[in-house]
Amino acid sequence: LIRFWDKEFDIIQPKKNKKGNRLFTQDDVKNYHLIHFLVKQRGYTLKGAKDKIKGNKNDVVNQQLIAQKMSKIKTFLLQLKEEL
């Protein structure tokens, strides 16, 4: 999946060493998380995810952060419910 997304998305640009191994930066890893959020969690097609990222990447990043925070809140509330 990583190799496939590497070819499909322009925002991922890992450098390669002499052996051909990919060397990912922290930004590449963040972009993979962003693509995973759109494709696997939100249900976007690859073309839809590309368009969404090209359109307004900051908006997508904000949506991802909100979803992560909501998930943490949900986990906290469920733990609190079990303790009561």
Side-chain angles (χ1 to χ4, degrees), residues 2-77:
I2 289 173
R3 290 180 186 161
F4 179 73
W5 284 352
D6 180 14
K7 294 175 187 171
E8 290 292 317
F9 290 88
D10 296 335
I11 61 172
I12 299 173
Q13 308 241 336
K15 296 189 184 217
K16 294 184 180 179
N17 63 12
K18 292 179 183 179
K19 292 183 178 181
N21 297 334
R22 290 171 176 82
L23 303 172
F24 297 101
T25 62
Q26 191 65 26
D27 288 335
D28 289 331
V29 174
K30 288 179 184 178
N31 288 330
Y32 274 118
H33 285 288
L34 187 64
I35 294 167
H36 183 270
F37 170 73
L38 288 173
V39 174
K40 300 293 183 180
Q41 293 180 358
R42 290 289 193 186
Y44 279 77
T45 63
L46 292 179
K47 183 174 179 358
K50 287 179 199 177
D51 293 342
K52 186 77 171 173
I53 290 171
K54 285 181 183 178
N56 192 354
K57 184 178 175 183
N58 290 333
D59 185 39
V60 177
V61 171
N62 288 337
Q63 288 178 4
Q64 181 185 22
L65 291 174
I66 290 170
Q68 288 174 347
K69 288 179 182 180
M70 295 296 284
S71 177
K72 288 180 183 179
I73 291 170
K74 180 181 177 182
T75 303
F76 172 74
L77 290 174

